[in-house]
Amino acid sequence: STSTASAWQFDTRRAVAIFLDGLLFSGPVMHFGYNFFEDVLPIIGGVSALIHVVADSVFLDAIFVASTMVSTGLLEGYSLRACWLQLKMEYFETLRTSWATSTALSPIEYVCFRYLPIRFRTLAVNILDMVWDAMISFMAHRSRRSGGVTSNTTTTTTTTAAVV
C-alpha cells in the first residue's frame, strides 16, 4: 500500500540529524566515557570487560537516548518545548528498548571491550551501534511520524500515555 511505502522511504533530514548527533555529541562522549572507564578500571580480564559493557549500557545509553531524542528533534525543526515534552513522555520506554537492544548486542560488545585496544574500541562499538541507533531512531520517531509530536513551537500534542 501507499502508506506502507511512504513509511519506509529514506528520510534524509533524519539521517543527517542522526549523523550530526553521532559526530558532534555521541561519538566524543563515547570516546571520553571509554577512556574514563579505562582509567577507573583498566581491562585486564573478563570481569573488568564485562563491567565496562554494563557501564556502557547503563550509564552511556541513558545519556545517548536523551541526546538522540533532543538533538534529532531540534535538527529536524521541532521546538525545544516539543522535544522536551516528547522526552518526558517517551524517554523511559525508549531507554528500555535501548537496554534490550544493548543486551542483545552485549556478547559482541564484550568481545570488543575484552580484546580490542582502546584506540579501536570506540570505532568497533560505533559500527555495532548502527543497530542500536536504528532502534533509538525508530522509537524517537514513532510519535513524530504519527503526528503525536508536532514541530509547532506553541502546540505540542502527544498520543501516547506517559511512562513515568
Side-chain angles (χ1 to χ4, degrees):
S1 80
T2 305
S3 63
T4 303
S6 65
W8 292 103
Q9 288 181 346
F10 183 76
D11 185 341
T12 303
R13 192 174 195 178
R14 179 175 168 181
V16 168
I18 292 287
F19 173 77
L20 289 174
D21 174 71
L23 180 69
L24 302 174
F25 183 77
S26 298
V29 170
M30 182 183 294
H31 183 74
F32 171 78
Y34 289 175
N35 282 326
F36 176 76
F37 294 162
E38 191 69 22
D39 289 343
V40 171
L41 179 66
I43 294 180
I44 54 172
V47 173
S48 54
L50 183 61
I51 291 169
H52 280 239
V53 170
V54 171
D56 178 35
S57 296
V58 172
F59 299 114
L60 293 181
D61 279 9
I63 294 167
F64 294 147
V65 165
S67 75
T68 299
M69 292 178 77
V70 172
S71 66
T72 60
L74 293 173
L75 290 168
E76 292 173 22
Y78 291 88
S79 69
L80 185 57
R81 182 175 184 272
C83 293
W84 173 249
L85 289 173
Q86 182 188 19
L87 189 65
K88 284 179 26 180
M89 296 295 290
E90 299 175 6
Y91 175 76
F92 291 107
E93 181 181 3
T94 304
L95 184 59
R96 281 194 298 273
T97 299
S98 164
W99 288 338
T101 304
S102 291
T103 300
L105 297 172
S106 64
I108 300 167
E109 191 173 359
Y110 173 82
V111 169
C112 292
F113 276 97
R114 176 67 178 98
Y115 298 106
L116 291 177
I118 192 151
R119 67 180 178 275
F120 298 122
R121 196 174 303 152
T122 301
L123 175 62
V125 175
N126 273 323
I127 292 168
L128 182 62
D129 277 350
M130 286 192 277
V131 174
W132 184 90
D133 287 335
M135 291 304 300
I136 300 311
S137 178
F138 172 79
M139 293 297 292
H141 288 83
R142 288 182 318 156
S143 61
R144 293 177 194 168
R145 269 193 319 275
S146 68
V149 174
T150 66
S151 59
N152 187 327
T153 57
T154 58
T155 307
T156 302
T157 58
T158 53
T159 56
T160 57
V163 182
V164 189

